[in-house]
């Protein structure tokens, strides 16, 4: 008798729980959640904060699709129902409009930028005109005539928007069905008839992108420390940017022995791994970084055959290095130099003979020249016109990469116009990293890191491996390494056989998935031996704890809890107050009156008729 | 500022009920106890009817809208019948409890009359019914948005609150009439209560035409109120005497006070 009610009650609870899990239907009547939202997040350095943030409970604004720069007047001055959430098409996302919106802070709740389907004709760069101005080679102490881009403006189209601070949220949406819903909502509700003011209810949007960190890096690192020391469950507020540099050499170098290597004179062939744009995690980086690193990867593969035989080996070792975090004041390269100076790296600065960096080398039909720069100054050529430097438009269209229509992904991967390796690398980095070749060359644990979209070149926080560093590590190992006949257990333990203790100083071993056997799901996995190593790429400023320094990068990224957006209708203020007013008199006043009148007289009212 | 909508709708829906509770029930512990027990009985009836409805929805074809609508109507009718069944069950329980209380207590008279029990049980049913009707909606009314982006009426919150107020008061009137009818064995009155409850619940299917559902509901509420007043022992004569302050007790009391 006891068990039966218990089972019955528990099954009731389960049923109620399951119903509770499904979405609340009243909420569905009110809100439409936005599916694809890319925010602009807050980054901090030694002295400033840049980027955007919303208030803790989200920012609500009435939608307004901006038609032109003059239409800003409605948002900033004449509109009747501020604050407004301004929707911008990509052509209107310019510095002058954004700065005007920034100045009208009370009336602007946020900005939404619609990603167009094709690139803008004139080019666009939200980076500064002189990138990494203060941490470059040329400073006031070293050739000041060239410092601060006095001689050559590297990024003439740069409007510096990425480095401004906004106190409202700025999101980016794709031009798809969701955005069409937003535009339709605006047209239905927010347009007044015949030029008059639009009537309530109005269509509004709420954006959440509250950032935990404020002011600058020293402040947020100090708050991190306070959380760590005094809180039971510490909540960090920011994280330094960075990741890992990837490097390899044509002749194996002993990595366990740090510091100066006798008789080694190396040529460092470098490329950068990262890029950025105004919006978080949206950095296609085709010309900015992919072109350079793909060219260097192809060169490494080509040189592999030459460096294997004794006769054709060059007399200097070539060290191929891919630096992470270069966009943010040279995080990777400054850390490697710092390690070299402090004998934390396999080589020393005295071992370095020369440095060659491969930068933006994507040839475009309109501009088929490639420029070569050197220092010190003897001959000076004009720089490559960096038209699309570090923006969300730096994608396949920028490199004039296109495929004939109707190809499957496999066919696109092997669509050879130039060298096969370059074609496959271009496809893998700029169209889809989840392709058959990339699947073959990575270990099986990391298959889920391959994605069906272009690679995101944003460097991200140092604890997380960025997508390009993860891909370059395994591509480089496969292109420059050799396949060795080693068992999986030995391979994963970095040795050739059970007694081998020396190989791990010179080589690194990776157990890769291999190709799919035909008509089956099993893969022929094998071991690749190469000289590919990782070295940390986190700014020396954090090791030295000199967070106000201007010598090293001090960039950190704020943490956040919720990034989301939704649209709904808002009622007029008057209707809300009417609701409140209709409540009070109808209830309490009446009963107060009746109570006073009827105190103790209920019996009279309800007395049976007596005769 | 949709805190305004939230508080407004809360006070509209629960204002009369809370006022009644504070001024008539809260002073007497026995009444409070029986009110809460009544609320619990309503809750159990809802649980049972929702269990049946949930199982039937899971069995049915989810993509057939007419079948879903039919199931909803079935669910509403079943819920009303179950509520009235539990009201009757509560009445039986209270009769038994009253006998028990009488044998236990020292006094000759019952500590609480069946009429008072009818009133507090109806009010308890009303409270719980109102809570389940409207708390969900109140929670969403506190957010920045209002109903309407998919084309629904803007007056959703307001009309839900008014409907809830009507239902709470109706439950109270039904309780009084029902218990009185059971006492006097007038089964036609019980049937009338059930029929009016069914009518009011089915009127909500008229939503979103809120006028078509709210106005008849308030008319029914007024009529039930009058009927409950008569069942409880009131009459026009008493009303007149009370409101014009010319009844004997009042005159005597005031005479003494002077």
């Amino acid at each position: 008798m006891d068990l039966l009610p218990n089972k019955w009650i528990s099954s009731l609870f389960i049923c109620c729980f399951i119903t509770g899990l499904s979405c609340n239907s009243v909420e569905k009547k009110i809100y439409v959640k936005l599916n694809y939202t890319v925010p602009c997040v807050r980054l901090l350095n030694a002295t400033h904060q840049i980027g955007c943030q919303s208030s803790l409970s989200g920012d609500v604004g009435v939608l307004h699709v901006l038609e032109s720069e003059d239409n800003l007047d409605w948002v900033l001055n004449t509109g009747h129902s501020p604050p407004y959430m301004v929707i911008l098409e990509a052509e209107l996302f310019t510095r002058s409009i954004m700065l005007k919106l920034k100045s009208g802070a009370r009336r602007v709740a946020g900005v939404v930028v619609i990603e167009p389907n094709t690139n803008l004709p004139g080019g666009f760069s939200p980076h500064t005109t002189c990138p990494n101005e203060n941490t470059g080679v040329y400073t006031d102490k070293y050739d000041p005539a060239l410092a601060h881009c006095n001689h050559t403006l590297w990024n003439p189209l740069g409007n510096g928007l990425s480095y401004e601070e906004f106190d409202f949220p700025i999101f980016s949406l794709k031009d798809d069905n969701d955005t069409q819903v937003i535009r339709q909502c605006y047209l239905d509700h927010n347009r007044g008839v015949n030029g008059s003011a639009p009537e309530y209810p109005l269509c509004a949007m709420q954006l959440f992108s509250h950032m935990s960190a404020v002011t600058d890096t020293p402040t947020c690192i100090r708050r991190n420390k306070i959380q760590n020391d005094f809180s039971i469950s510490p909540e960090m507020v920011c994280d330094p940017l960075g990741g890992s540099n990837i490097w390899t050499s044509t002749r194996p170098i002993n990595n366990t022995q740090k510091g100066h290597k006798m008789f080694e004179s190396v040529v460092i062939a470098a490329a950068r791994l990262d890029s950025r744009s105004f919006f978080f995690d949206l950095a296609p980086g085709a010309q900015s970084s992919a072109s350079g690193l793909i060219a260097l990867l192809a060169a490494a593969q080509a040189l592999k055959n030459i460096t294997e035989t004794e006769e054709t080996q060059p007399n200097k070792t070539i060290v191929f290095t891919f630096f992470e975090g270069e966009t943010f004041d040279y995080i990777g390269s400054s850390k490697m130099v710092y390690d070299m100076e402090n004998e934390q790296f396999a080589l020393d600065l005295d071992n370095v003979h020369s440095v060659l960096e491969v930068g933006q080398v994507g040839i475009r039909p309109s501009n088929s020249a490639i420029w070569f720069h050197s220092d010190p100054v003897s001959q000076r050529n004009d720089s490559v016109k960096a038209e699309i430097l570090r923006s969300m438009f730096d994608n396949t269209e920028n490199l004039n990469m296109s495929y004939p229509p109707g190809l499957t992904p496999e066919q696109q991967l092997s669509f050879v116009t130039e060298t096969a390796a370059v074609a496959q690398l271009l496809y893998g980095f700029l169209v889809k990293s989840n392709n058959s070749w990339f699947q073959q060359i990575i270990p099986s644990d990391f298959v889920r890191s391959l994605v069906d979209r272009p690679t995101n070149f944003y460097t991200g926080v140092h604890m997380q491996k960025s997508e390009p560093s993860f891909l370059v590590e395994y591509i480089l190992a496969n292109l420059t390494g050799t396949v060795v006949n080693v068992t999986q257990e030995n391979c994963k333990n970095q040795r050739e056989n059970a007694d081998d203790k020396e190989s791990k100083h010179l080589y690194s071993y990776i157990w890769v998935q291999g190709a799919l056997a035909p008509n089956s799901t099993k893969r022929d996995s094998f071991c690749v031996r190469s000289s590919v190593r990782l070295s940390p790429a986190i700014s020396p400023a954090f090791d030295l704890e000199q967070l106000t320094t201007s010598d090293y990068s001090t960039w950190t990224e704020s943490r956040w809890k919720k990034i989301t957006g939704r649209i709904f209708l808002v009622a007029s203020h008057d209707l809300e107050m009417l609701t409140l007013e209709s409540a009070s008199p109808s209830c309490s006043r009446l009963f107060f009156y009746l109570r006073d009148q009827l105190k103790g007289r209920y019996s009279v009212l309800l007395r049976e008729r007596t005769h | 500022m949709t805190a305004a909508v939230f508080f407004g709708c809360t006070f509209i829906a629960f204002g009369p009920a809370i006022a009644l509770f504070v001024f008539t029930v809260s002073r007497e512990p026995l009444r409070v106890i029986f009110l809460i027990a009544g609320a619990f009985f309503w809750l159990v009836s809802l649980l049972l009817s929702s269990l049946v409805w949930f199982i039937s929805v899971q069995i049915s074809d989810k993509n057939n809208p007419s079948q879903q609508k039919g199931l909803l109507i079935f669910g509403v009718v079943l819920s009303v019948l179950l509520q009235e069944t539990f009201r009757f069950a509560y009445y039986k329980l209270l009769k038994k409890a009253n006998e028990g209380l009488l044998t236990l207590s020292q006094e000759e008279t019952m500590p609480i009359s069946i009429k008072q029990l009818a009133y507090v049980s109806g009010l308890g049913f009303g409270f719980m019914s109102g809570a389940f009707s409207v708390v969900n909606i109140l929670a969403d009314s506190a957010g920045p948005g209002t109903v309407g982006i998919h084309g629904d009426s803007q007056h959703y919150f307001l009309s839900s609150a008014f409907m809830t107020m009507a239902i709470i008061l109706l439950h109270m009137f039904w309780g009084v009439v029902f218990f009185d009818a059971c006492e006097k064995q007038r089964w036609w009155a019980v049937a009338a209560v059930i029929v009016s409850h069914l009518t009011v619940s089915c009127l909500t299917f008229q939503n979103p035409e809120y006028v078509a559902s709210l106005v008849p509901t308030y008319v029914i509420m007024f009529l039930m109120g009058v009927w409950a007043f008569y069942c409880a022992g009131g009459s026009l004569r008493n009303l007149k005497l009370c409101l014009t302050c010319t009844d004997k007790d009042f005159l005597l009391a005031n005479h003494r006070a002077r």
Side-chain angles (χ1 to χ4, degrees), chain A residues 48-64:
Chain A
H48 288 88
Q49 59 180 13
I50 63 171
C52 341
Q53 85 143 11
S54 77
S55 61
L56 189 54
S57 54
D59 281 319
V60 179
V62 172
L63 287 178
H64 180 76

Side-chain angles (χ1 to χ4, degrees), chain A residues 43 241 274-276 280-281 283 328 456-460 466 557:
Chain A
L43 298 166
L241 292 178
D274 70 316
S275 174
R276 74 168 297 207
F280 174 72
D281 255 8
F328 291 102
N456 171 28
F457 279 88
Y458 176 60
T459 180
S466 70
E557 181 190 273

Side-chain angles (χ1 to χ4, degrees), chain A residues 48-256:
Chain A
H48 288 88
Q49 59 180 13
I50 63 171
C52 341
Q53 85 143 11
S54 77
S55 61
L56 189 54
S57 54
D59 281 319
V60 179
V62 172
L63 287 178
H64 180 76
V65 175
L66 200 69
E67 287 146 26
S68 64
E69 190 159 346
D70 301 320
N71 195 221
L72 269 180
D73 193 50
W74 173 264
V75 172
L76 296 174
N77 298 318
T78 55
H80 299 286
S81 38
Y84 285 98
M85 188 70 71
V86 182
I87 314 260
L88 293 179
E89 305 284 345
E91 304 89 46
L92 293 172
F93 185 48
T94 61
R95 186 180 171 86
S96 68
I97 289 184
M98 290 307 295
L99 288 186
K100 282 191 189 151
L101 287 171
K102 181 176 164 178
S103 64
R106 296 256 113 197
R107 290 179 61 104
V108 178
V111 173
V112 171
V113 179
I114 314 262
E115 250 176 75
N117 291 324
T118 58
N119 283 354
L120 297 179
F124 176 81
S125 172
H127 218 286
T128 48
T129 49
C130 193
N132 289 344
E133 192 173 340
N134 299 315
T135 43
V137 179
Y138 304 111
T139 61
D140 297 323
K141 287 178 269 195
Y142 182 87
D143 212 339
L146 300 168
H148 303 294
C149 295
N150 280 333
H151 187 90
T152 310
L153 207 58
W154 292 105
N155 189 20
L157 273 184
N159 58 25
L161 271 180
S162 290
Y163 290 84
E164 293 286 335
E165 184 206 339
F166 298 95
D167 54 10
F168 46 75
I170 303 179
F171 275 53
S172 165
L173 299 177
K174 274 206 201 105
D175 196 354
D176 58 5
N177 285 337
D178 264 0
T179 316
Q180 207 39 46
V181 167
I182 294 175
R183 285 202 185 102
Q184 196 56 44
C185 191
Y186 169 75
L187 289 171
D188 290 338
H189 294 103
N190 292 19
R191 278 269 190 91
V193 245
N194 294 339
S196 65
E199 285 184 357
Y200 279 96
L202 295 175
C203 201
M205 186 190 284
Q206 184 175 32
L207 293 176
F208 294 87
S209 68
H210 180 73
M211 301 286 141
S212 307
V214 281
T215 321
D216 54 28
T217 296
T219 309
C220 84
I221 297 290
R222 187 185 72 226
R223 289 183 186 177
N224 274 357
K225 282 210 177 65
I226 292 175
Q227 283 284 324
N228 253 335
D229 293 339
F230 295 115
S231 174
I232 297 175
S233 60
E235 276 188 15
M236 299 293 123
V237 290
C238 69
D239 301 292
L241 292 178
S244 304
N245 299 325
I246 322 267
W247 65 274
T248 185
S249 48
T250 48
R251 274 195 290 248
I253 297 178
N254 189 333
N255 192 36
T256 324

Side-chain angles (χ1 to χ4, degrees), chain B residues 30-88:
Chain B
L30 263 182
R31 292 183 195 170
V32 173
I33 291 169
F34 285 116
L35 184 139
I36 293 176
F40 177 72
F41 266 72
W42 188 91
L43 190 60
V44 175
S45 83
L46 180 76
L47 230 47
L48 274 179
S49 56
S50 62
L51 185 66
V52 172
W53 178 76
F54 179 72
I55 292 173
S56 57
V57 162
Q58 295 301 317
I59 297 173
S60 76
D61 173 23
K62 289 228 173 79
N63 296 324
N64 186 349
S66 64
Q67 197 182 43
Q68 295 297 316
K69 178 95 180 185
L71 267 181
L72 194 61
I73 297 176
F74 160 70
V76 166
V77 169
L78 176 71
S79 172
V80 168
L81 294 175
L82 269 177
Q83 283 175 43
E84 296 304 327
T85 312
F86 270 77
R87 207 194 295 272
F88 184 70

